[in-house]
Amino acid sequence: MQKRMPFEIAKTESFYDKLGEWIGDLFYDILPDAGFELRDEQIYMAFQLENAYKDKKVMFAEAGVGTGKTIVYLLYAIMYARYTNRPAVIACADETLIEQLVKKEGDIAKLEKILGLDIDVRLAKSRDQYLCLKKLDTTRNNDFSDEISDIYESLPDFVHAVGSMQTFEKYGDRRDYPSLSDEKWNEINWDAVQDCFACEKRHRCGLTLHRDYYRHSEDLIICSHDFYMEHIWTKESRKREGQLPLLPEHSSVVFDEGHLLEYAAQKALSYRFTDYTLETLLTRLMENEVREKTLYTIDEALLDNDAFFDAISQFSSLSQGSDKQMITKHPLVLKTCRKLLSTLQVLEEELVFESELYVINEYDLKIVEEYLEQITHSLSLFLKELNGITWFEEKGGERTLVIMPRMVEEVMREEVFTQKKPFIFSSATLANQKSFDYIAASIGVDDYLFFSVTSPFDYDDKMELYIPKFNKEDIEGKLDYILAELHKSEGRALILLNNKDELARLKKKLSGVIPYPIYFEGDEEISTLVSKFQNEEHAILCSLHLWEGLDIPGRSLENVMIFSLPFPPNDPVFTAKRAGVDNPFTEVDLPYMLLRLRQGVGRLIRSEKDQGTVHILVEEDIDADVLQMIKEVLPTQAKE
């Protein structure tokens, strides 16, 4: 295996000219000889990307299913990384899709084998994808289950060793515990109420060790959109605190499923204040020898905290299909917010005196001061009439206030796209009525290149598409239809859902009555479920988040069932987007639904040999114009 360039460049020759020649040889000779289909669309895309890398520009690369766009952007990203001696970043839509790129049947593995390349690819996952040693200790003391004991016993020896660490290995990744449910994982994974930088277990922590590992990648670092945006928003503050940015200097960025980047940017910009955060922090403070006046202020803050969240809970309403509750800023909500903010500001002053007395554990004090600053800032934003979005969440007994300032495009323009490097947005769905202006404006891109190529597949021959209609209240009829179709296809099905209620109803209906393996998102780590589904020909996979990116060629997937049209939820984020346009349905809801629907339908045909059926379940009173628009974006004629 070779680590150098797979082609020779003389001192008088241009890297881009030689790269273009090599790419041409690949697509016309080498890849076809290895069994790859020669696709004009893929070759066109390759030479379009050359312009983006040569000119260090933003490019919107819209390429339909089957064009082989992943192979193309990987080749350019890897070669450019080697040319510049800095790794490329591939940012996927979410954590569930990161593993898709590096699976043993994936495109990176295929390129390594065919081209004789040793590609250095490393994963940079979000913090919540890692085990927290402190939380594991706490959970182990309260939970004597075999699951928790097995995880503790499986930790590498150096985690428990005394003295300096002689050897280490990567551990603690969510994927290392595939059979653990998401609910159980949340008891032991990274905790926001920890100061990792000051933690005494930091230098034996799997998260810390893995960050050092991926930063030294020579070719590719693969992360999620969320992770990349967190890197952007935190890099300056991390430098000020003496920490390295989440990502090292890199040569280029590919945003796979790039149409979703705006949502990751909004999420990264949000402030989250959870009721238990303050309670945990202040309870920890009370364990120290603090002054009586400080104890009184802490007690008052805890009472004010409960009163504030009780008031928000009283004046919030949940929207169908969303965890985000709309908050009504009732006078009681604002009154309790001002009272809590005032008490916390007094507490901040008290802690200045406490720090001078050296009676509080330095680690605890640092965490409390940092979070108090964040919380008081969040409360100040909540009280202002800011141009932003706020909502309330209640999950598993936890109550969270979320504040999202609406300044995504401005910050993206200043912090991301001022960098002189190639930024590639890759997706089958980027344009809106053949224009890229909408996505460009939403993320702050002023100057860009673009192209669009359609899928090479003969959908009329390979896909049967059905749009059955049901009464809005006839959920049981929908479930019976799905059950019957699963028997017809003998499993081999992906069922896409829009919210947890749909998933729960389907799980109740199908569990124990289907003679095929059936997997539900959340029961195990998601990439493990995908792998099982792919390797068991008659299995069924039910998912909320695999509308994009899932690539399962072959007989394991011959039936895609879409439980309901994927309209956006009526949550505060989309309510704000609707408020900013003249016609909310046609400018927000409909484009979102049609784009997501195209993505879902695109899961079926992944290669020339694939074939199967798609079922899109709709309500019988669906508007005729909407139904017509759905039919127009589908790859083949639908039967009702």
Side-chain angles (χ1 to χ4, degrees), residues 172-451:
D173 186 325
R174 171 69 175 101
R175 199 161 186 260
D176 295 339
Y177 316 104
S179 61
L180 210 63
S181 70
D182 287 352
E183 183 180 2
K184 203 72 173 175
W185 172 250
N186 288 334
E187 296 178 14
I188 58 172
N189 69 340
W190 172 81
D191 191 342
V193 193
Q194 299 285 354
D195 184 349
C196 295
F197 193 51
C199 178
E200 71 275 11
K201 297 179 182 286
R202 170 180 170 76
H203 298 295
R204 301 177 191 275
C205 168
L207 170 59
T208 305
L209 294 174
H210 193 78
R211 280 194 176 158
D212 182 64
Y213 171 74
Y214 73 66
R215 284 190 179 107
H216 291 89
S217 174
E218 295 182 7
D219 289 329
L220 299 175
I221 298 175
I222 303 178
C223 65
S224 65
H225 289 180
D226 285 351
F227 188 92
Y228 183 82
M229 296 317 307
E230 185 183 356
H231 159 72
I232 293 298
W233 307 142
T234 63
K235 64 180 180 179
E236 294 305 323
S237 63
R238 289 180 67 86
K239 287 177 184 176
R240 286 195 299 272
E241 294 169 1
Q243 302 183 67
L244 292 171
L246 293 179
L247 290 169
E249 287 296 322
H250 43 279
S251 54
S252 65
V253 184
V254 175
F255 295 112
D256 197 41
E257 306 298 350
H259 61 284
L260 298 174
L261 183 66
E262 180 189 1
Y263 305 109
Q266 290 175 334
K267 182 178 176 182
L269 274 172
S270 64
Y271 298 91
R272 300 181 67 87
F273 171 28
T274 300
D275 61 350
Y276 87 92
T277 304
L278 189 61
E279 184 179 332
T280 303
L281 290 170
L282 298 187
T283 302
R284 183 185 295 175
L285 258 191
M286 294 171 74
E287 295 170 359
N288 294 270
E289 296 292 330
V290 296
R291 295 172 303 139
E292 187 174 338
K293 185 177 180 183
T294 304
L295 280 174
Y296 173 79
T297 308
I298 290 173
D299 283 335
E300 188 177 4
L302 290 171
L303 291 171
D304 291 346
N305 187 52
D306 283 340
F308 174 56
F309 277 98
D310 286 346
I312 291 184
S313 186
Q314 181 181 348
F315 294 100
S316 296
S317 55
L318 191 60
S319 304
Q320 176 65 31
S322 173
D323 293 328
K324 301 179 180 69
Q325 297 188 37
M326 301 282 288
I327 302 172
T328 300
K329 288 191 175 181
H330 186 273
L332 179 62
V333 173
L334 296 177
K335 179 182 178 182
T336 54
C337 182
R338 282 191 288 268
K339 179 66 169 67
L340 175 58
L341 176 59
S342 175
T343 304
L344 292 181
Q345 288 169 335
V346 171
L347 182 58
E348 285 179 318
E349 295 172 4
E350 294 293 329
L351 292 180
V352 173
F353 291 108
E354 296 292 350
S355 65
E356 294 171 354
L357 298 174
Y358 298 101
V359 294
I360 301 180
N361 176 289
E362 187 178 350
Y363 172 77
D364 290 344
L365 185 62
K366 188 176 186 300
I367 295 174
V368 172
E369 288 178 334
E370 182 179 319
Y371 274 91
L372 279 182
E373 184 179 339
Q374 291 180 16
I375 291 168
T376 53
H377 181 63
S378 299
L379 295 175
S380 298
L381 288 175
F382 183 74
L383 288 170
K384 294 175 182 176
E385 289 298 323
L386 79 165
N387 181 24
I389 311 165
T390 60
W391 70 86
F392 180 58
E393 296 176 359
E394 285 187 280
K395 297 177 186 174
E398 294 176 9
R399 302 180 294 183
T400 305
L401 169 66
V402 187
I403 302 165
M404 181 190 291
R406 294 182 65 196
M407 44 186 262
V408 170
E409 60 273 16
E410 288 88 351
V411 180
M412 293 287 283
R413 182 178 288 110
E414 295 170 9
E415 300 294 334
V416 179
F417 300 116
T418 53
Q419 302 176 68
K420 191 66 175 174
K421 67 178 63 170
F423 288 97
I424 310 300
F425 287 77
S426 172
S427 175
T429 50
L430 287 171
N432 184 23
Q433 295 181 321
K434 299 185 179 181
S435 169
F436 294 88
D437 289 347
Y438 176 79
I439 185 173
S442 69
I443 53 175
V445 175
D446 298 320
D447 182 27
Y448 60 89
L449 305 174
F450 65 91
F451 71 87

Side-chain angles (χ1 to χ4, degrees), residues 47-250:
F47 290 105
Q48 292 297 313
L49 277 192
E50 181 180 329
N51 295 325
Y53 278 87
K54 197 171 185 177
D55 299 333
K56 299 181 178 63
K57 298 285 284 287
V58 175
M59 172 168 273
F60 294 112
E62 184 177 68
V65 176
T67 50
K69 54 183 174 289
T70 305
I71 290 280
V72 178
Y73 74 59
L74 283 173
L75 287 169
Y76 274 94
I78 293 165
M79 292 306 113
Y80 192 69
R82 295 185 179 193
Y83 173 60
T84 58
N85 289 315
R86 286 180 295 169
V89 170
I90 311 291
C92 301
D94 58 38
E95 299 287 342
T96 64
L97 301 180
I98 291 177
E99 299 282 354
Q100 291 286 301
L101 272 179
V102 295
K103 65 184 180 181
K104 62 183 180 180
E105 312 91 353
D107 288 332
I108 293 176
K110 291 175 184 175
L111 286 177
E112 282 191 313
K113 183 177 180 181
I114 294 167
L115 303 179
L117 293 175
D118 183 10
I119 301 172
D120 185 7
V121 54
R122 310 188 187 192
L123 307 187
K125 296 187 176 182
S126 296
R127 290 175 291 186
D128 60 7
Q129 296 295 304
Y130 284 92
L131 181 71
C132 173
L133 294 175
K134 281 199 162 191
K135 278 182 75 176
L136 178 62
D137 284 344
T138 302
T139 304
R140 184 166 164 262
N141 290 332
N142 301 320
D143 183 344
F144 301 102
S145 68
D146 290 340
E147 285 180 311
I148 300 300
S149 296
D150 289 346
I151 290 171
Y152 184 83
E153 295 300 327
S154 69
L155 295 175
D157 292 340
F158 69 76
V159 175
H160 308 297
V162 178
S164 61
M165 187 170 60
Q166 302 300 316
T167 61
F168 68 87
E169 60 189 274
K170 299 191 301 295
Y171 78 94
D173 186 325
R174 171 69 175 101
R175 199 161 186 260
D176 295 339
Y177 316 104
S179 61
L180 210 63
S181 70
D182 287 352
E183 183 180 2
K184 203 72 173 175
W185 172 250
N186 288 334
E187 296 178 14
I188 58 172
N189 69 340
W190 172 81
D191 191 342
V193 193
Q194 299 285 354
D195 184 349
C196 295
F197 193 51
C199 178
E200 71 275 11
K201 297 179 182 286
R202 170 180 170 76
H203 298 295
R204 301 177 191 275
C205 168
L207 170 59
T208 305
L209 294 174
H210 193 78
R211 280 194 176 158
D212 182 64
Y213 171 74
Y214 73 66
R215 284 190 179 107
H216 291 89
S217 174
E218 295 182 7
D219 289 329
L220 299 175
I221 298 175
I222 303 178
C223 65
S224 65
H225 289 180
D226 285 351
F227 188 92
Y228 183 82
M229 296 317 307
E230 185 183 356
H231 159 72
I232 293 298
W233 307 142
T234 63
K235 64 180 180 179
E236 294 305 323
S237 63
R238 289 180 67 86
K239 287 177 184 176
R240 286 195 299 272
E241 294 169 1
Q243 302 183 67
L244 292 171
L246 293 179
L247 290 169
E249 287 296 322
H250 43 279

